[in-house]
Amino acid sequence: MIRRQRKKQEAIIILHEIYGVNDFIKGQCQKYRDLGFEVICPDLLERPSFRYEESKEAYDFFTTHVGFDVYQDVCRLIVGLKKMYNKVFILGFSVGATIAWRCCENPLCSGVVACYGSRIRDYTDLNPVCPTLLLFAKEDSFDVGAVMESLQGKQGLFSFSMDAGHGFMDPYSKQFNDAQAQLAEEFTLCFLEDELK
């Protein structure tokens, strides 16, 4: 008789910003490994990361070669991971946050955390089927309050507006805000802790 292998505990998919898998994202991966998660960090760009000074080139590369429909690949990744792990979470930053948000209707996903995903505003019609935490940057390039208002009342959705600019969690960014980054991390860890109970 073949004994079925027991599933491991939890996996987290970390989705990067337009810059790719840079030092900030590598640091996030290590942080969640240290917390006991199996970390999966797909390189959506499939190329070396861009420097921060190359933000225009990075954005153009992302929109031309990747795009937000890549969420379908992430959803397929979730399907595969659910065969091995009891819970599969997604944590995304900037464009990665918008991609994470687009995965919130996947019933196999255990939870979504999306940090300063400014294009979430293009997908406010989505209805999460898994617990979802959205952390917006108050000082972003769009009306954050209006977007948050349009998302109000969706089941399982928690959203906060952090008193900082886009990219505030990235210590390598000019927008880094240590206090707000720590607060956002606390929100994230509390959210994950609740979903692991």
Side-chain angles (χ1 to χ4, degrees):
M1 187 169 120
I2 299 171
R3 289 177 63 190
R4 207 166 151 191
Q5 192 173 7
R6 199 169 150 260
K7 281 187 181 181
K8 294 176 189 164
Q9 293 304 309
E10 300 91 20
I12 190 164
I13 301 167
I14 296 184
L15 301 174
H16 58 71
E17 303 165 309
I18 55 171
Y19 304 108
V21 183
N22 59 11
D23 288 342
F24 166 57
I25 296 299
K26 289 174 186 171
Q28 290 294 314
C29 291
Q30 191 56 55
K31 183 180 296 177
Y32 286 92
R33 270 190 212 100
D34 292 345
L35 289 169
F37 287 90
E38 183 68 33
V39 174
I40 297 89
C41 182
D43 182 356
L44 303 175
L45 305 184
E46 297 182 340
R47 55 147 284 153
S49 61
F50 286 93
R51 298 187 316 276
Y52 293 99
E53 311 82 70
E54 300 174 303
S55 59
K56 186 189 179 330
E57 294 89 337
Y59 184 77
D60 291 346
F61 186 92
F62 175 82
T63 54
T64 305
H65 299 287
V66 183
F68 292 110
D69 285 344
V70 77
Y71 86 95
Q72 295 167 346
D73 294 339
V74 178
C75 284
R76 283 189 284 275
L77 178 58
I78 294 166
V79 172
L81 289 170
K82 269 305 269 189
K83 294 172 185 169
M84 298 181 286
Y85 299 94
N86 289 329
K87 299 203 175 209
V88 179
F89 297 95
I90 308 175
L91 168 62
F93 299 91
S94 192
V95 293
T98 301
I99 295 163
W101 166 246
R102 292 197 74 188
C103 295
C104 73
E105 293 183 319
N106 184 326
L108 295 178
C109 189
S110 306
V112 166
V113 179
C115 305
Y116 42 88
S118 57
R119 300 315 305 192
I120 287 172
R121 69 187 187 268
D122 297 333
Y123 304 100
T124 56
D125 57 325
L126 299 181
N127 292 298
V129 296
C130 65
T132 301
L133 172 64
L134 304 180
L135 299 174
F136 290 102
K138 195 180 284 182
E139 300 158 28
D140 214 320
S141 58
F142 63 101
D143 187 343
V144 173
V147 171
M148 288 179 69
E149 198 173 311
S150 71
L151 294 168
Q152 259 184 350
K154 291 185 187 274
Q155 192 173 346
L157 175 65
F158 308 92
S159 63
F160 297 93
S161 173
M162 310 304 289
D163 195 11
H166 190 94
F168 70 90
M169 292 179 75
D170 181 350
Y172 304 96
S173 163
K174 289 179 184 167
Q175 294 292 336
F176 178 60
N177 182 314
D178 190 36
Q180 293 300 292
Q182 285 183 43
L183 187 57
E185 192 172 293
E186 270 178 49
F187 284 153
T188 301
L189 294 176
C190 287
F191 172 83
L192 292 171
E193 207 170 277
D194 281 349
E195 300 315 315
L196 290 170
K197 286 178 182 169

